[in-house]
Amino acid sequence: MEKVHLSKSKYCKAKQCNKILWLNKYKPECAEKTASESVLENGTAVGELAKELFGEYINIEYQSDLSKMIEQTKRYIEKKPNIITEASFDYNRNFCSIDILKNNVDGIEIYEVKSSTSINNIYLEDISYQVYILLNLGYKVKKANIVYINNQYVRNGELELDKLFNIEDVTEIAFSKQDEIKEKIKEINKYMEQESEPIQDIGKHCFNPYNCEYWNYCTRKLPENNVFKIRRMRKEQKLNLYNKGIYTFKDLLNQDINWKFKQQVEFEELNKTPVIDKEKIRTFMKNLYYPLYFLDFETFQQPIPKYDGIRPYMQIPFQYSLHYIENEKEELKHKEFLAEAGIDPRRKLAEQLVNDIPENACVLAYNMQFEKMVIKNLAELYEDLREDLLIIHNNIKDLMIPFVNRMYYCKEMQGSYSIKYVLPALFPDDPELDYHNLPLVHNGGEAMSVFATLDQKTKDEQEKIRQGLLDYCKLDTYAMVKIWEKLKNF
């Protein structure tokens, strides 16, 4: 049988689990999307920017006919010295495109670009595979480097690529892996000869280094209530239980596990009635007071900071929603902020926030550590607003507490205290509170993704997206109001 045509991404997938490649070939329809669109866009943007690290470069444009890319690379390789991006090579049906190749007179340096802020072991496999191909083609590889984001860099003025990127020499590691790569390629080719689906049990490889896109397919025969559905239990603990033959919630009933895990199991397996500790709930509610403001932020991240004072992947607030009640006799009211696309949103957001929330307000957030972090960062940035922002920060209380501490718990929460689980558990079948009924944005990840690229959309598209963002964030704080009203009745 003909050898597998491996790319560096396929090789790395096989390092995680050979069966991923087999399923990609024979059952690709069973895969589920694991990386968000924004993550992929970030990777592309970082890769394009990194090409400028060493000055002028020659780029090998992608073509479906890989042989044309390989031939084009050969021509430029002969014209050393130069810098080539996406330089493409093939050895014995093992293909790679190198992000940045320094083509020196006395040899080659290769640079693999990653949009992460640290070096994962799989990155070492990636660049070692590229070195394998070049060495077998007879090239002299002087250095192998991984380029990744320096998350301590703070932009002030023009972007400084030499400070934004870290470059780590991993030549020694790459060379040490050459025999291992040779044997792994043989193993992959033999594995892919199987015509019937290979048997492969689940294990650590299902989550490391990435969550596998075939997880649901490979666990399809497990019962609905299985050990991997235990909320907030470490994956290693779940696998340990699974390897002992403990698969189901019924199996878990007699196991010595954390009481919160046991509670989830018992409630879902035995259909227990809700736990409602009214006394503790009342004590929590006594700490809240009018005027009462329900606050929720939306943020986005930039791997390449566009604005001064921004670090890579720093949480940048661009939107908030405020539902508020002045006193017990007043009606519920609403305020909101949504930044314009393509500009630093922080100053205007901070100014409006201190105008919208009075200093005597009790501010409620759901998982307040996030809101506190956002406000603290703004206070450190704007000295003139610092005092007002810190008053808001210090007045925040956490509506999540009754659910984290299981003062209120029912089986529908499925072991979670996330508002996305608590809300439908408290208000089942209420279309007004169903995030799935929103027209465009349904969760924080989607909000982050659509705002990050909002300035690249047409005017009509922007208007639709902005309305979708407003609808989503407004529901977040309205959901908090409804939860507060429910707790108030105990």
Side-chain angles (χ1 to χ4, degrees):
M1 183 175 285
E2 189 175 36
K3 291 180 179 178
V4 179
H5 197 175
L6 275 182
S7 63
K8 60 182 182 179
S9 61
K10 286 182 179 179
Y11 177 81
C12 289
K13 282 182 180 291
K15 284 295 293 186
Q16 179 169 348
C17 176
N18 287 333
K19 192 171 179 179
I20 296 176
L21 282 195
W22 193 94
L23 290 170
N24 276 345
K25 180 176 180 180
Y26 295 103
K27 295 191 174 183
E29 70 281 0
C30 297
E32 295 187 9
K33 187 176 178 182
T34 55
S36 70
E37 186 177 333
S38 61
V39 170
L40 298 174
E41 288 171 349
N42 284 343
T44 301
V46 169
E48 286 300 310
L49 183 65
K51 289 177 180 179
E52 302 174 17
L53 264 170
F54 306 111
E56 291 187 9
Y57 61 89
I58 302 160
N59 188 63
I60 306 298
E61 297 292 339
Y62 174 77
Q63 298 182 61
S64 56
D65 184 350
L66 300 181
S67 64
K68 292 181 179 179
M69 297 171 66
I70 294 165
E71 285 301 316
Q72 193 176 4
T73 298
K74 284 180 181 178
R75 291 197 302 272
Y76 286 121
I77 284 281
E78 292 170 0
K79 299 176 182 179
K80 60 181 67 175
N82 53 23
I83 296 171
I84 308 170
T85 61
E86 306 301 336
S88 300
F89 304 89
D90 183 272
Y91 165 72
N92 205 15
R93 291 183 65 79
N94 299 295
F95 173 84
C96 72
S97 285
I98 295 171
D99 292 337
I100 305 171
L101 184 145
K102 268 190 174 182
N103 183 29
N104 302 320
V105 173
D106 58 343
I108 283 173
E109 297 177 22
I110 66 176
Y111 296 80
E112 173 68 14
V113 181
K114 300 298 181 184
S115 60
S116 68
T117 58
S118 61
I119 294 180
N120 189 312
N121 284 337
I122 200 66
Y123 303 162
L124 300 173
E125 302 293 348
D126 188 329
I127 197 164
S128 299
Y129 172 80
Q130 297 171 53
V131 170
Y132 172 82
I133 292 174
L134 290 179
L135 290 177
N136 279 282
L137 290 172
Y139 292 104
K140 180 183 177 182
V141 179
K142 292 173 56 184
K143 285 178 70 176
N145 307 273
I146 294 178
V147 181
Y148 61 102
I149 296 288
N150 171 18
N151 63 354
Q152 299 305 305
Y153 169 70
V154 179
R155 179 167 186 167
N156 283 301
E158 290 297 314
L159 199 61
E160 302 163 285
L161 296 190
D162 60 327
K163 295 180 180 178
L164 172 63
F165 290 107
N166 290 322
I167 300 176
E168 187 160 331
D169 186 337
V170 295
T171 311
E172 187 175 337
I173 296 172
F175 272 79
S176 72
K177 288 181 171 289
Q178 294 308 297
D179 289 341
E180 177 188 324
I181 292 168
K182 182 178 179 181
E183 292 306 310
K184 182 63 181 179
I185 290 171
K186 287 180 183 177
E187 177 191 307
I188 293 168
N189 280 295
K190 186 175 181 180
Y191 189 93
M192 294 299 287
E193 289 178 2
Q194 302 175 73
E195 294 183 2
S196 58
E197 184 171 335
I199 297 172
Q200 174 71 55
D201 202 359
I202 58 178
K204 290 182 180 178
H205 56 273
C206 299
F207 316 110
N208 185 25
Y210 307 112
N211 289 330
C212 178
E213 61 263 42
Y214 291 101
W215 170 256
N216 285 335
Y217 175 77
C218 291
T219 59
R220 66 195 182 281
K221 293 183 180 179
L222 286 177
E224 177 64 26
N225 285 346
N226 64 72
V227 65
F228 296 102
K229 297 294 179 70
I230 301 298
R231 195 75 55 179
R232 306 187 76 80
M233 181 185 280
R234 289 182 298 106
K235 289 172 182 174
E236 293 81 1
Q237 188 177 355
K238 294 177 183 179
L239 285 169
N240 185 46
L241 290 166
Y242 174 83
N243 290 330
K244 290 179 179 177
I246 300 166
Y247 305 137
T248 68
F249 279 16
K250 187 175 181 180
D251 297 334
L252 284 163
L253 285 173
N254 297 318
Q255 294 299 310
D256 182 19
I257 55 177
N258 179 284
W259 73 270
K260 287 188 177 181
F261 305 151
K262 180 65 70 73
Q263 189 179 50
Q264 180 187 351
V265 169
E266 290 179 346
F267 271 61
E268 293 182 48
E269 184 65 24
L270 304 177
N271 199 27
K272 284 193 170 185
T273 56
V275 165
I276 305 174
D277 192 328
K278 294 183 179 181
E279 185 176 342
K280 287 185 178 178
I281 291 173
R282 289 176 191 139
T283 299
F284 169 80
M285 295 296 284
K286 284 178 183 177
N287 290 321
L288 310 182
Y289 54 88
Y290 296 102
L292 190 56
Y293 279 65
F294 300 82
L295 172 65
D296 179 72
F297 287 116
E298 298 301 330
T299 62
F300 72 111
Q301 298 172 316
Q302 297 174 329
I304 305 164
K306 293 182 180 179
Y307 317 123
D308 286 354
I310 297 289
R311 296 187 310 275
Y313 294 110
M314 184 175 174
Q315 297 280 4
I316 307 169
F318 65 88
Q319 178 182 13
Y320 66 75
S321 173
L322 270 178
H323 274 92
Y324 63 102
I325 307 170
E326 294 293 349
N327 58 62
E328 198 167 0
K329 296 180 180 179
E330 291 286 337
E331 292 184 354
L332 180 68
K333 297 176 183 177
H334 182 253
K335 295 179 182 179
E336 60 193 359
F337 174 89
L338 177 57
E340 296 299 319
I343 61 171
D344 186 346
R346 293 172 297 166
R347 178 72 197 190
K348 282 189 176 181
L349 181 145
E351 288 176 341
Q352 185 168 318
L353 187 69
V354 298
N355 286 327
D356 282 347
I357 302 180
E359 65 177 38
N360 64 331
C362 176
V363 182
L364 263 181
Y366 202 94
N367 191 6
M368 69 179 183
Q369 293 307 317
F370 179 74
E371 271 67 29
K372 278 178 168 279
M373 177 268 294
V374 169
I375 293 173
K376 184 179 179 183
N377 287 344
L378 292 171
E380 291 175 353
L381 186 62
Y382 303 117
E383 182 62 33
D384 60 319
L385 300 175
R386 177 181 173 83
E387 184 177 347
D388 290 333
L389 285 167
L390 288 181
I391 289 172
I392 296 170
H393 173 279
N394 295 335
N395 286 340
I396 294 180
K397 300 184 184 299
D398 200 338
L399 187 59
M400 189 171 70
I401 293 298
F403 307 101
V404 173
N405 295 337
R406 303 284 172 95
M407 300 174 195
Y408 192 119
Y409 183 77
C410 59
K411 69 173 186 175
E412 288 79 11
M413 293 177 188
Q414 300 175 42
S416 175
Y417 46 76
S418 162
I419 197 169
K420 300 301 189 292
Y421 283 83
V422 169
L423 189 66
L426 298 185
F427 303 95
D429 305 317
D430 186 337
E432 184 184 37
L433 300 174
D434 190 340
Y435 284 85
H436 295 97
N437 290 337
L438 292 171
L440 185 66
V441 181
H442 310 90
N443 56 60
E446 289 180 6
M448 178 186 294
S449 180
V450 297
F451 185 80
T453 57
L454 189 60
D455 58 339
Q456 300 168 24
K457 308 297 183 184
T458 66
K459 186 176 179 180
D460 287 344
E461 288 172 333
Q462 285 194 24
E463 287 179 3
K464 290 179 182 177
I465 292 169
R466 290 180 67 84
Q467 189 58 55
L469 286 165
L470 292 171
D471 290 341
Y472 167 71
C473 198
K474 185 176 182 179
L475 180 54
D476 265 352
T477 50
Y478 184 62
M480 291 164 58
V481 173
K482 298 297 288 184
I483 292 170
W484 168 76
E485 288 176 345
K486 183 89 170 181
L487 296 177
K488 195 171 61 162
N489 291 328
F490 295 122

